[in-house]
Amino acid sequence: MAQDNSKSNGSALYTIITVFFFWGFLAASNGIFIPFCKAHFSLTQFESQLIDFTFYGGYFIGSLILYFASSATKVDILNKIGYKNGIIYGLLISAVGALIMIPAINSGSFAFILFTFFVIALGFSLQQTAANPFVVALGSPETGTHRLNFAGGVNNFGSIWGPVIVGFVLFGSASAKIPASEVKIASVNTLYIILAVLFLAVALFFWLSKLPSVTSDEKIEPSNKANTPLGIIFVAFLLILAATPLAQATGIHKQYFVYASLAIILFTLVGTSSAAGKGGQGWGAMQYPQLVYGMLAIFTYVGVEVTIQSNMGALLETPAFGNFKTDQVAPFISLYWGSLMVGRWTGAIAAFSLSKATKLILTIVIPFVAFGVVLIVNRISGTDVSMLYPYAGCVALLVIGFLMGNQKPVRTLAIFGILGAVFMVIGLMTTGMVAVFAFISGGLCCSIMWPSIFSLSVTGLGKYTSQGSAFLIMMILGGSIIPPVQGILADGIGIHKSYIIPVIGFAYLAFFAFKAGAILKKQGIDVDNLEAGGGH
């Protein structure tokens, strides 16, 4: 990286992390907006999950456009326009999406609303692709993890506020709730007008800010053979979007098209690993099996992380899980995303040069401090948080998992993959608050997975590391595919039983930990000396 150090990189960092807050805020807000749209538009569970499909699909399509455009022109397009301009353009695209939401809501067309989520996420994709390397470049590579941890903490802080603020704007305070069926469209319009103004204000702020010039000198490595599996995955993505019209045209139930989409993606990645293993020429980063298995792991991890909370609104509205109204689920969605913050704040401790004793004390204390922050945020909205106190027991299990993992990616990922599967099974076998807390604990287990998967996937890639990272970012697609798969399964067997999906997901993530460790050892890499840092 080349950079201009004439200005304070500290102030530049504080400027850039503002966009991290937005990503967390909007992504977590979907957990409130999904049950609202389901009630307002009388949607099936599958149809309500199309919000996440289009939102996370925007990330995938944005990354794919940049990848193919850069491959075709043999020019790193983002590097050419500059990271700062990339963030500004991304914010402007998201602002356009937020403004389009107003006529979309007023039109009463759910398809139009889905399109606006896609546009907002398309902007987020450009912001994320530019902001992450920008943050790393604002100083020495050795301290890049520290800065990403800090930015990730801001992202998580946005995620616990999102459900609370959006819930307040839509439904009012806890003491004066408005039923979902009576929410005025003006409330939704106000929310997106505010967001559009904020996006534009931050874009202007970035434009006026004298940020250091950051560019990358890395050359794009050819990977022509990788284009085919990426193209197939793109077609599989479109298959979910076309599921309903295809079902009407063929008479085949749309669930088969949804399941086929997931199957195509899984078989494509497994087949790619096998084909690339026979000859690496032309495959680029995909010639490394740890990366391809890692792509599937990122796909699974993001999908599990998103689907647990996306379907939670419908779960909480059933009699066995409290019979909550749509306007009462915000504290639970906030606690779920807060659980990710709890884990990531704890994971950030390892990035600092502290004595073993200090790290041990902070590893025990910080998770409960973060849990306290989640309670305070919800208390501010007028929620009675006493019902959330027992969740402290789940936080204690996180602490034990961290101490056992000892910041080693294979061990950490395996422990939390197994623990996540156990939590999901407990949730499946019980009802009431025990099951609710068990499912929400999935957030604690997901919290530390991103850095563990990432470090195992890109280790040993050498000159293909940058390209491998881009492929992993594309696999955020899992947040687009897995929620609708669980949604359509829920329409068939019930929302409670549909949580078998995250059980399978966590099981694969535990498998990946051992598989990647074995692959890297075979390549002569000492996985025990790798570290699992912060979070995504």
Side-chain angles (χ1 to χ4, degrees), residues 225 272-284 286-287:
K225 290 182 181 177
T272 296
S273 179
S274 175
K278 294 174 183 175
Q281 190 68 32
W283 282 103
M286 284 191 187
Q287 67 189 277

Side-chain angles (χ1 to χ4, degrees), residues 505-518:
F506 277 122
Y508 173 74
L509 292 166
F511 162 79
F512 168 73
F514 296 115
K515 181 70 175 177

